[in-house]
Amino acid sequence: MKYIAILLTISLLFRHTCSAQSDSTKEQFVVGSACPDFHLRDLQYYPLKEAGLTDFKGKWLVLDFWTKSCVSCVASFPKVNLLQKKFTQDVQFILVGRNDKKHGAGIEKLYERFKNHYDLDLTVAYDSVLFQRFGIFATPYIVVIDPAGIVRKTTWFLNESLLGEIMSSNALQPSSDKKNRFIESDSTILSRSEISQWIPGEGQRIPPRIDSQLKKGTFTGKGLSLRNLYNYAYFGLDDWPMNDSLVRTVSRFPVLLTSDSSKFIPDYTSGMSLYNCKLKIPIGTATRRQFQEVLQTELFRCFGFKASVETRSVPCLELRTIGNAGKNLMTKGGIPDTNGGHAGMTFTNLPVTALLTFISSYHQTQPAIFDATGIQGNIDITIDAIIPNLEDLKRALLESGLHLVPVNKEMKTLVIRDPIASIE
């Protein structure tokens, strides 16, 4: 039971489901309004040790809230660093880390590891009070404030194009807290199927399963890619972690045999190729299969692609041992445990599956990883690496006698084609 709890924690903790929203009962960063005054008491890598909002007036300010457990937050640090260099004369970026004892203990050491590895030159503040004051419960959460102290944008995603657009536009950007054009269905409606365009700033809602709201007879998702939608429609899941039985038999990525694959490339800046989905089936008659069939029909109606599940040879990765690594890694016993995070992890008395789950949670765009180590029992291993950096991770695995080898495997695969003629 201890191992199952650890495995589920790894799978859920590092699952990339960014929902940059704040608790509506708390104080808010309201787009178009003056930013509430605040005071940062633990500034690092900045001329001042403490600073308030007025200290930054006359310059654009970007507050980038992050936590230890947010994979996408720490993976974005090199990109934020490049943005700071690009806009150094006009914009001040501040990474605001949550450092409370319950959720953020050790966050300072974690950042120092990333700073040294990536040669980061960013201002950092550690302030759990701001998280509580503004009810920030999900990260990344980014606030863009103009030189006059007016909130111009709240979002979970920022790149050079979007930042430049915000800075050059006189119009206020819609708030992720206020702008929500995805209208919930009326309680009197018995049945509904609807796919609509996602609008940047609405936030995301990516349920793990299409039947996650089965008792209510509804399915609601926001900011979904077509890959998300087709996985729901044909497999019932958005994605499957390493401990799911689908991992060894079903490919997580569809094969696209279409003349135009651009609809499968989501753009979080413009909102293109990202969608909201609402399904409703009468309570008492709703089943997982019904939801899937309704969504399959809706996808064909909206996009016209033909889809089928076929057996195909697809790229995968195998984790293999080198030399006596299998023997050397065998556990010395003790309570099954994990310790660490983005900058390195130690596994004690756990199966190889736990290690694979951990790796997969950080590298979800990589092919499925299979255990080919032949190790029968549990292992002890310490991975001293920046985990989001695949090359650094591979280096650390090699130091422990493990390597990831590209292979092809026969797996059930969703194949998506143009409706009239295949381009095979």
Side-chain angles (χ1 to χ4, degrees), residues 120-176:
L120 302 178
D121 186 16
L122 292 168
T123 297
V124 187
Y126 300 103
D127 194 329
S128 298
V129 174
L130 283 188
F131 278 80
Q132 296 171 1
R133 176 181 168 186
F134 292 99
I136 299 171
F137 63 87
T139 53
Y141 186 81
I142 302 169
V143 183
V144 182
I145 304 166
D146 73 13
I150 304 299
V151 178
R152 288 280 176 166
K153 183 78 172 177
T154 59
T155 182
W156 62 270
F157 171 83
L158 192 67
N159 62 11
E160 180 179 343
S161 175
L162 180 56
L163 180 58
E165 180 183 330
I166 296 170
M167 294 173 63
S168 62
S169 174
N170 291 323
L172 294 174
Q173 302 297 316
S175 167
S176 61

Side-chain angles (χ1 to χ4, degrees), residues 110-334:
L110 173 66
Y111 178 73
E112 290 303 310
R113 181 74 183 272
F114 275 82
K115 179 183 184 300
N116 295 332
H117 183 83
Y118 289 110
D119 193 24
L120 302 178
D121 186 16
L122 292 168
T123 297
V124 187
Y126 300 103
D127 194 329
S128 298
V129 174
L130 283 188
F131 278 80
Q132 296 171 1
R133 176 181 168 186
F134 292 99
I136 299 171
F137 63 87
T139 53
Y141 186 81
I142 302 169
V143 183
V144 182
I145 304 166
D146 73 13
I150 304 299
V151 178
R152 288 280 176 166
K153 183 78 172 177
T154 59
T155 182
W156 62 270
F157 171 83
L158 192 67
N159 62 11
E160 180 179 343
S161 175
L162 180 56
L163 180 58
E165 180 183 330
I166 296 170
M167 294 173 63
S168 62
S169 174
N170 291 323
L172 294 174
Q173 302 297 316
S175 167
S176 61
D177 298 320
K178 297 295 183 181
K179 185 172 183 178
N180 187 350
R181 294 172 55 185
F182 187 64
I183 302 172
E184 300 291 337
S185 62
D186 188 278
S187 59
T188 61
I189 296 175
L190 296 180
S191 178
R192 162 178 277 176
S193 61
E194 175 184 299
I195 295 177
S196 60
Q197 184 71 46
W198 181 74
I199 305 298
E202 284 185 312
Q204 283 188 293
R205 182 187 299 168
I206 307 180
R209 309 175 65 91
I210 196 172
D211 57 355
S212 58
Q213 306 163 56
L214 187 61
K215 291 183 179 180
K216 296 181 179 180
T218 61
F219 170 79
T220 303
K222 296 181 182 180
L224 305 172
S225 67
L226 275 187
R227 185 171 81 87
N228 295 140
L229 289 170
Y230 274 97
N231 276 351
Y232 286 130
Y234 287 87
F235 303 117
L237 303 169
D238 155 55
D239 207 344
W240 29 102
M242 282 302 301
N243 58 329
D244 194 287
S245 60
L246 290 179
V247 166
R248 301 193 68 83
T249 58
V250 180
S251 173
R252 296 164 53 230
F253 302 100
V255 171
L256 303 179
L257 300 176
T258 62
S259 56
D260 179 11
S261 61
S262 63
K263 287 187 175 64
F264 290 85
I265 305 174
D267 185 338
Y268 293 92
T269 301
S270 66
M272 293 298 294
S273 302
L274 286 161
Y275 307 95
N276 299 323
C277 178
K278 179 73 175 184
L279 306 178
K280 186 169 184 179
I281 296 175
I283 298 175
T285 63
T287 65
R288 173 175 172 172
R289 186 60 197 167
Q290 277 184 299
F291 276 123
Q292 289 183 245
E293 290 176 350
V294 170
L295 184 53
Q296 288 174 17
T297 300
E298 190 68 14
L299 286 170
F300 181 75
R301 186 177 69 84
C302 291
F303 303 104
F305 296 117
K306 292 179 65 177
S308 60
V309 178
E310 305 173 9
T311 298
R312 292 243 171 178
S313 177
V314 297
C316 298
L317 294 171
E318 283 188 347
L319 185 68
R320 299 178 182 175
T321 57
I322 302 173
N324 295 322
K327 181 179 179 180
N328 296 336
L329 291 173
M330 292 300 293
T331 184
K332 296 177 177 61

Side-chain angles (χ1 to χ4, degrees), residues 88 147 191 406 416 422:
T88 186
S191 178
I416 300 175
S422 169

Side-chain angles (χ1 to χ4, degrees), residues 40-46 48-51 94 123-125:
L40 298 170
R41 295 177 176 80
D42 189 12
L43 277 172
Q44 298 184 16
Y45 309 109
Y46 191 72
L48 302 175
K49 290 299 182 183
E50 297 186 10
I94 301 179
T123 297
V124 187

